[in-house]
């Protein structure tokens, strides 16, 4: 039983471990030069004074001991419906089953091109983070495009590195997908208090070389900004072209069923690239769980055993950096919903719940996580969460 895994992130590594432990032969292809690492630690790596401990998921010996054939620098440029893969650097290899675990990539703005690539960096993979790390040591001013959680974490860490930081966000408020306007105003106040400059409701239209090695960031509704380098954090993009070429059904991502099977026999997908039942925000926890399950199901499929279904876990957003804290799960208030404020201290603190028809459907907190776990537990059981994920309204069984 020879299984090929394309992509060595959380999902790929988790699947490889399960398959190798059960006696399967595993070859895992990674497009990157370095050992698989914890992607959520990249902002800390990019901006931190020290290289974070445990950046890498396992050391090299671990893969050898497990019998996992990890091939770094081995981007796969094509695969077939018959589970044959074609590495970009040459050759071809046939497998009994395949797992596609290629994750996502950064959305790049139209003004990102060769002439600006040396001053604009997405914060997505190890190589990007290493470039940013070099700039942090020598430079003073950074502009971060995108006011989501990755942009905010980068800003807090850059400020801690004594850089002058500006976040430019095109929406009128930060983290609009996870927080109400009111909560978001508290986030903005908290960032401004930490000397982070915010330009909201403002879009970058161009980034150009300026004088003395500086960079000019041109924005829609304001004067341009000079800085030394730019970090791009405007979301994730998913490349489904390899799968589509092989004849696998794709939508926004690779479509899988509840067993993480794609539309082609013997080809599975897991992690951020897999879409079940609908595209979900990237989550390390979900990728890990899917990777384990895919490992199990691939072996079961090969041996004629029983496959297990995937159940999407609730994925709250939780972030803490020093005394800056954010938590959000479920829905944010929309017109017609009831936003119940538990605590509000202008500029400092927000705790609120969302109710639809008197049923709790969301919880958001800024500056605290007091009782967040309690509300989260009350909000969803696994079953009701599944319903909310894609199948209309749930009746969460815990009301608070
Ligand atoms: C900066 C940052 C911070 C984050 N912070 C958090 C957080 O705090 N909490 C959280 O839950 N989530 C966080 N996420 C999201 C989380 O990292 C992802 O959800 C998770 O890494 C997905 O795992 P994955 O295995 O599906 O894919 P990935 O981790 O993206 O790994 C996929 C791998 O496949 C490789 N690959 C792609 N194409 C090919 C190919 N053709 N051939 C070979 N290899 C290929 C890629 O190079 C990559 O190494 C963060 C993401 C980023 C970018």
């Amino acid at each position: 039983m020879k299984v090929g895994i394309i992509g060595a992130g959380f999902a790929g590594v988790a699947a490889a471990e399960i398959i190798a432990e059960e006696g399967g032969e595993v070859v895992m292809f990674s497009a990157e030069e370095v050992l698989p690492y914890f992607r959520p630690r990249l902002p800390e790596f990019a901006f931190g004074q020290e290289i974070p401990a445990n950046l890498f998921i396992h050391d090299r010996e671990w893969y050898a001991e497990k019998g996992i054939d990890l091939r770094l620098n081995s981007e796969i440029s094509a695969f077939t419906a018959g589970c044959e893969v074609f590495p970009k650097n040459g050759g071809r290899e046939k497998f009994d089953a395949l797992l596609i675990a290629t994750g996502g990539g950064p959305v790049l703005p139209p003004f990102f091109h060769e002439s600006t690539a040396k001053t604009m960096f997405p914060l997505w993979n190890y190589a990007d983070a290493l470039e940013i790390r070099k700039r942090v040591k020598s430079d003073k001013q950074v502009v971060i495009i995108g006011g989501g959680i990755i942009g905010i974490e980068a800003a807090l860490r850059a400020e801690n590195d004594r850089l002058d930081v500006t976040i430019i966000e095109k929406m009128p408020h930060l983290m609009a997908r996870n927080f109400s306007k009111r909560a978001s105003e508290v986030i903005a106040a908290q960032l401004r208090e930490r000397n982070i400059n915010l330009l909201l409701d403002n879009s970058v239209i161009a980034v150009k070389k300026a004088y003395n090695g500086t960079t000019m960031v041109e924005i829609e509704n304001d004067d341009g900004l000079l800085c030394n380098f730019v970090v791009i954090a405007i979301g994730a993009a998913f490349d489904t072209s390899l799968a589509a070429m092989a004849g696998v059904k794709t939508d926004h991502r690779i479509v899988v069923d509840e067993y993480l099977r794609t539309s082609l026999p013997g080809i599975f997908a897991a992690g951020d690239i897999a879409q079940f039942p609908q595209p979900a925000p990237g989550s390390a926890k979900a990728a890990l769980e899917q990777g384990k399950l895919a490992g199990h199901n691939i072996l079961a499929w090969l041996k004629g055993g029983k496959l297990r279904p995937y159940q999407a876990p609730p994925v709250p957003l939780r972030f803490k950096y020093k005394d800056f804290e954010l938590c959000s799960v479920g829905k944010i208030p929309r017109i017609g919903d009831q936003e119940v404020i538990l605590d509000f201290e202008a500029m400092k603190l927000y705790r609120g719940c969302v109710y639809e028809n008197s049923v709790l459907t969301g919880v958001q907190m800024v500056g605290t996580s007091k009782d967040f776990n309690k509300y989260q537990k009350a909000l969803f059981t696994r079953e009701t969460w599944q319903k909310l994920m894609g199948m209309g309204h749930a009746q969460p069984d815990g009301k608070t």
Side-chain angles (χ1 to χ4, degrees), residues 143-363:
V143 165
I144 296 169
I145 308 179
I149 190 63
I150 293 176
I152 288 177
E153 179 172 3
L156 288 163
R157 291 185 181 278
E159 198 281 326
N160 188 56
D161 281 337
R162 300 181 196 289
L163 274 95
D164 291 339
V165 188
T166 301
I167 296 179
I168 304 177
E169 164 60 49
K170 77 170 181 198
M171 300 291 283
H173 63 273
L174 295 163
M175 298 200 65
R177 265 191 243 146
N178 303 91
F179 291 93
S180 65
K181 185 168 181 291
R182 200 158 174 184
S184 179
E185 281 165 2
V186 181
I187 300 175
Q190 289 284 297
L191 291 172
R192 287 191 171 113
E193 201 183 275
R194 287 163 178 76
N195 297 319
I196 293 167
N197 186 23
L198 299 178
L199 292 177
L200 305 179
D201 209 0
N202 227 321
S203 288
V204 176
I205 47 176
V207 172
K208 292 181 178 160
K209 279 186 187 165
Y211 55 87
N212 284 346
T214 55
T215 297
M216 171 60 80
V217 179
E218 292 182 4
I219 43 187
E220 211 168 42
N221 307 324
D222 228 318
D223 295 337
L225 272 179
L226 270 180
C227 66
N228 300 112
F229 70 105
V230 175
V231 172
I232 304 163
I234 53 175
F238 297 92
D239 184 356
T240 55
S241 57
L242 292 191
M245 262 189 322
V248 170
K249 185 175 175 203
T250 61
D251 180 29
H252 298 284
R253 307 188 197 173
I254 296 174
V255 176
V256 292
D257 67 7
E258 59 183 327
Y259 303 105
L260 305 178
R261 296 180 296 197
T262 69
S263 58
L264 291 182
I267 302 185
F268 291 68
D272 283 3
I273 193 68
Q275 179 175 326
F276 171 78
Q278 53 187 336
S283 150
K285 185 178 172 192
L288 192 75
E289 286 201 15
Q290 288 186 20
K292 286 184 191 164
L293 184 74
H296 169 88
N297 283 352
I298 287 172
L299 288 175
W301 183 81
L302 287 168
K303 294 176 183 168
K306 193 168 165 21
L307 274 64
R308 286 195 220 129
Y310 176 64
Q311 296 186 317
V315 180
L317 180 145
R318 293 197 78 151
F319 174 74
K320 187 164 179 10
Y321 177 70
K322 299 188 173 178
D323 57 350
F324 180 95
E325 193 162 15
L326 302 175
C327 313
S328 169
V329 66
K331 296 197 164 182
I332 60 167
R334 309 252 178 231
I335 294 163
D337 297 340
Q338 195 191 356
E339 181 179 9
V340 175
I341 311 288
L342 305 167
D343 264 325
F344 181 76
E345 209 182 308
M347 314 294 192
K348 279 201 179 328
L349 196 76
Y350 171 95
R351 289 169 75 232
C353 290
V354 187
Y355 289 85
E356 279 175 66
N357 303 323
S358 308
V359 175
L360 180 69
T361 55
V363 185

Side-chain angles (χ1 to χ4, degrees), residues 29-108:
F29 299 93
S30 171
E32 301 199 44
E33 285 176 17
V34 293
L35 289 170
Y37 52 86
F38 289 100
R39 199 169 296 280
R41 292 200 184 131
L42 286 182
E44 192 181 337
F45 174 53
F47 292 98
Q49 308 286 330
E50 307 286 332
I51 294 180
N54 305 327
L55 177 64
F56 297 103
I57 301 177
H58 300 292
D59 57 24
R60 190 174 277 282
E61 290 69 45
W62 184 88
Y63 296 94
E65 279 161 19
K66 292 274 172 196
I68 297 168
D69 182 355
L70 170 62
R71 310 226 184 127
L72 301 179
N73 262 324
S74 288
E75 184 179 343
I76 296 302
S77 52
F79 66 85
T80 66
C83 297
E84 195 169 12
V85 307
F86 297 82
K88 201 172 175 181
N89 42 21
R92 60 208 290 170
E93 203 157 344
K94 176 99 171 71
F95 294 94
D96 300 314
L98 275 186
L99 174 65
I100 312 164
T102 47
V107 172
L108 296 173

